[in-house]
């Protein structure tokens, strides 16, 4: 596999980098402390075409591929993981589900608004009692004439409060049946559809995470995505692409932490010389950079297969597993290089350290990725 960065990617990279420095860096710690979800930033990102990266131009999107997508998410995450996470969740989950599985009418109705961030998107699969075991969900959708009546709740949902539209997977058949779940598009303001408790999180604090609650919520059959019973299958396909998203997020966090550590190691002096001159620090930086490069290659391989519409379940899981674990390892090492200052909020690596852990949990834990990889190997 030979992948060369093209001029378009370099232009996008510079545009995103400039935006992140101007619009995100100055306020990212303020948002982190207050747990504010800065909707206005996402509206600006929408104006730049960064909230509909993979959406074809005919639906108001940018019509780009997964290499460009990785560039965008990772560049944002090098400055702020929270904003990177929300961009990734909006693009790959809610928008991606409608893009890949919605009807033509649904695409025309929702994709232009999602691609421009007129609508912020949410995606509901996880529940209080069903994280990795998504098939055991309790939220139900019961057919009643031309409507489905939803009851239950979803938790750990990105944009649950601020989102304008959500794709929600609910049980329409027997619990545990992979063909007993269906996906619905539900707009904010639909009677019986509300938001619940906002989570107080370790990291990614400016990316809103909360509950979605359904109390006799009536959803018209036109809002069903695809056929009844296909929701879980659709969700698994969406998560294949979502692994590239979280991979890009982890890659960006790791790169941000490494760059901060390199800069600090050149400036910080001990025993009369910069600490970068000590082999203990220099070798740590070498290990960090090597891990990042290896994980990036796995991520690009998964993206290459996704661009070619090839099956990439194993490659996506490998990339997500590797990049997320590397993000944690590299940010941990970065804190160590900073020493006591790395443990304070006045320096950037403390935030990379907190944000990185989500990557090993969200959109499938590292343990689930190993399960997926091993199943693919043993087929």
């Amino acid at each position: 596999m030979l992948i060369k960065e093209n001029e378009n990617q370099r232009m996008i990279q510079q545009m995103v980098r400039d935006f992140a420095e101007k619009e995100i860096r100055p306020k990212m710690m303020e948002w982190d402390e207050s747990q504010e979800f800065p909707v206005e930033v996402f509206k600006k990102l929408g104006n730049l075409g960064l909230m509909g990266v993979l959406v074809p131009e005919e639906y108001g999107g940018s019509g780009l591929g997964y290499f460009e997508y990785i560039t965008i998410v990772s560049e944002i995450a090098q400055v702020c993981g929270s904003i990177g996470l929300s961009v990734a969740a909006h693009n790959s989950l809610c928008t991606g589900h409608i893009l890949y599985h919605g009807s033509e009418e649904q695409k025309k109705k929702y994709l232009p608004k999602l691609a421009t961030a007129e609508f912020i998107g949410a995606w509901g699969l996880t529940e209080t009692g069903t994280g990795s075991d998504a098939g055991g969900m309790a939220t139900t959708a019961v057919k009643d004439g031309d409507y489905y009546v939803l009851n239950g709740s979803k938790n750990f949902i990105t944009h649950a409060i601020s989102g304008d539209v959500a794709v929600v997977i609910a049980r329409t058949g027997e619990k545990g049946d992979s063909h007993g779940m269906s996906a619905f598009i539900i707009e904010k303001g639909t009677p019986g559809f509300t938001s619940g408790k906002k989570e107080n999180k370790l990291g990614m604090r400016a990316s809103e995470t909360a509950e979605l609650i359904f109390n006799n919520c009536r959803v018209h059959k036109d809002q069903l995505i695809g056929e009844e019973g296909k929701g879980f299958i659709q969700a698994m396909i969406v998560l294949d692409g979502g692994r590239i998203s979280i991979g890009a997020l982890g890659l960006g966090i790791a790169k941000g932490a490494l760059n901060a550590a390199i800069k600090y190691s050149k400036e910080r002096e001990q025993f009369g010389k910069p600490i970068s001159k000590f082999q203990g620090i220099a070798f740590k930086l070498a290990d960090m950079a090597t891990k990042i490069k290896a994980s990036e290659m796995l991520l690009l391989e998964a993206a290459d297969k996704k661009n070619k519409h090839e099956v990439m379940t194993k490659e996506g899981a490998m990339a997500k597993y590797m990049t997320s674990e590397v993000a944690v390892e590299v940010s941990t090492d970065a804190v160590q290089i900073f020493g006591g200052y790395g443990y304070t909020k006045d320096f950037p690596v403390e935030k990379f350290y907190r944000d990185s852990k989500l990557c090993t949990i969200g959109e499938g834990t590292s343990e689930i990725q190993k399960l997926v990889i091993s199943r693919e190997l043993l087929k």
Side-chain angles (χ1 to χ4, degrees):
M1 180 188 68
L2 181 62
I3 298 172
K4 289 186 177 181
E5 187 179 62
N6 58 42
E7 185 61 31
N8 191 44
Q9 284 173 261
R10 284 189 286 270
M11 289 173 61
I12 291 170
Q13 181 182 52
Q14 191 59 54
M15 176 186 72
V16 177
R17 190 171 292 175
D18 291 344
F19 179 90
E21 290 297 329
K22 180 183 177 183
E23 302 288 346
I24 299 173
R25 192 179 294 280
K27 287 194 170 183
M28 66 178 189
M29 288 309 295
E30 179 184 324
W31 297 330
D32 185 78
E33 290 288 335
S34 66
Q35 301 194 65
E36 177 187 350
F37 177 63
V39 175
E40 71 281 357
V41 170
F42 297 95
K43 301 296 184 182
K44 292 176 181 178
L45 286 164
N47 289 335
L48 292 175
L50 303 180
M51 297 294 275
V53 179
L54 303 166
V55 176
E57 292 180 18
E58 65 185 288
Y59 301 116
S62 296
L64 299 173
Y66 275 85
F67 294 145
E68 290 84 1
Y69 181 53
I70 287 171
T71 298
I72 290 163
V73 174
S74 63
E75 281 295 327
I76 293 172
Q78 285 184 57
V79 174
C80 180
S82 293
I83 306 302
L85 172 61
S86 279
V87 168
H90 174 94
N91 273 281
S92 72
L93 298 180
C94 179
T95 305
H97 199 134
I98 296 171
L99 173 62
Y100 295 120
H101 302 289
S103 66
E104 189 62 26
E105 292 74 21
Q106 290 169 341
K107 291 178 186 179
K108 287 178 178 177
K109 182 177 180 180
Y110 291 106
L111 290 181
K113 292 182 178 180
L114 287 164
T116 58
E118 179 183 345
F119 276 6
I120 300 294
W123 192 75
L125 178 65
T126 302
E127 297 181 7
T128 303
T130 57
S132 298
D133 179 21
M137 67 176 60
T139 299
T140 58
V142 178
K143 193 79 180 291
D144 180 23
D146 287 340
Y147 288 81
Y148 288 85
V149 181
L150 274 70
N151 282 287
S153 64
K154 301 287 178 178
N155 77 333
F156 297 129
I157 307 304
T158 306
H159 312 148
I161 297 170
S162 299
D164 300 284
V165 63
V167 171
V168 176
I169 295 87
R171 186 161 56 83
T172 48
E174 294 300 315
K175 185 176 286 192
D177 179 6
S178 62
H179 295 281
M181 290 160 276
S182 304
F184 302 88
I185 304 171
I186 310 177
E187 294 186 34
K188 178 186 279 187
T190 302
F193 177 38
T194 56
S195 302
K197 180 175 75 77
K198 183 177 180 178
E199 302 295 342
N200 185 10
K201 299 177 296 183
L202 168 72
M204 302 291 190
R205 289 165 63 83
S207 179
E208 177 185 280
T209 306
E211 288 180 304
L212 293 176
I213 299 169
F214 308 93
N215 183 12
N216 291 324
C217 176
R218 295 177 66 82
V219 180
H220 195 270
K221 64 182 182 181
D222 289 347
Q223 300 300 96
L224 174 70
I225 301 178
E227 298 175 23
E228 183 178 305
K230 295 294 181 68
F232 185 75
I233 308 301
Q234 294 169 6
M236 294 304 102
I237 295 170
V238 168
L239 286 173
D240 268 354
R243 288 171 185 144
I244 294 176
S245 295
I246 300 298
L249 183 66
L251 178 67
I253 290 171
K255 284 184 174 182
L258 173 62
N259 291 336
I262 290 171
K263 183 174 183 291
Y264 182 80
S265 71
K266 291 178 177 179
E267 297 169 350
R268 172 69 166 170
E269 290 194 1
Q270 292 286 272
F271 307 103
K273 59 183 177 182
I275 62 172
S276 59
K277 297 294 184 181
F278 293 98
Q279 194 176 76
I281 299 298
F283 279 16
K284 195 180 290 289
L285 292 169
D287 283 340
M288 293 158 74
T290 302
K291 290 174 183 176
I292 289 171
K293 180 57 69 173
S295 65
E296 187 171 22
M297 291 299 101
L298 280 174
L299 188 61
L300 291 174
E301 181 185 18
D304 186 47
K305 281 184 166 289
K306 188 69 175 173
N307 279 338
K308 293 174 180 175
H309 306 289
E310 296 175 1
V311 176
M312 40 69 70
T313 300
K314 180 183 70 178
E315 289 77 11
M318 284 180 168
K320 198 272 187 187
Y321 171 50
M322 183 75 167
T323 50
S324 59
E325 293 292 338
V326 164
V328 173
E329 292 168 14
V330 168
S331 60
T332 300
D333 286 342
V335 170
Q336 194 69 21
I337 289 170
F338 272 73
Y341 291 112
Y343 206 64
T344 71
K345 292 183 181 292
D346 294 327
F347 290 84
V349 292
E350 174 269 347
K351 186 174 183 298
F352 288 127
Y353 180 69
R354 287 185 292 108
D355 287 348
S356 67
K357 188 57 191 169
L358 182 277
C359 297
T360 70
I361 299 169
E363 295 193 36
T365 63
S366 290
E367 291 75 19
I368 287 294
Q369 304 314 314
K370 287 192 275 189
L371 181 65
V372 171
I373 294 164
S374 60
R375 282 177 175 173
E376 290 296 312
L377 291 173
L378 297 170
K379 274 185 177 179

